[in-house]
Amino acid sequence: MELTPEQRRDRARQAVQVSWQKTEDPAARTEPARAAALKRFENQVDPDRVLPEDERLRRANEAKRQFYKRLGKLSAAARRARREATRAAL
């Protein structure tokens, strides 16, 4: 039996929920991803590793904050545009 895209999404969501229910330490499970994300920002602010580590981390965390702030603004603008388009269509 072929599943519809909606059925596949529902099945995948259920699998994710079960997986997280069985996870004893969520922070440990997500640590590799958080470390990789921080490394991305470290590479952005100090690709040659010439800064002292504490300064590189400070700048990387600032770059990360700015990235997510911009992402939030773009998301809000997209939601606003969708809402306005829906109102205009009525």
Side-chain angles (χ1 to χ4, degrees), residues 37-51:
L38 184 58
K39 187 158 218 57
R40 169 188 171 204
F41 291 107
E42 285 185 51
N43 291 338
Q44 179 183 338
V45 299
D46 188 21
D48 299 325
R49 297 299 193 259
V50 295
L51 296 171

Side-chain angles (χ1 to χ4, degrees), residues 9 12-13 15 18-19 24 33 40 43 51 53 59 62 67 77 80 83 87:
R9 273 192 306 273
R13 285 184 184 128
V18 168
S19 176
E24 292 184 25
R40 169 188 171 204
N43 291 338
L51 296 171
E53 184 177 1
R59 291 182 187 194
E62 184 60 31
F67 174 81
R80 193 178 314 95
R83 191 168 48 245
R87 287 181 184 156

Side-chain angles (χ1 to χ4, degrees), residues 13-26 29:
R13 285 184 184 128
Q14 289 172 349
V16 167
Q17 289 170 344
V18 168
S19 176
W20 278 105
Q21 288 170 1
K22 294 179 179 182
T23 299
E24 292 184 25
D25 187 354
R29 180 175 171 179

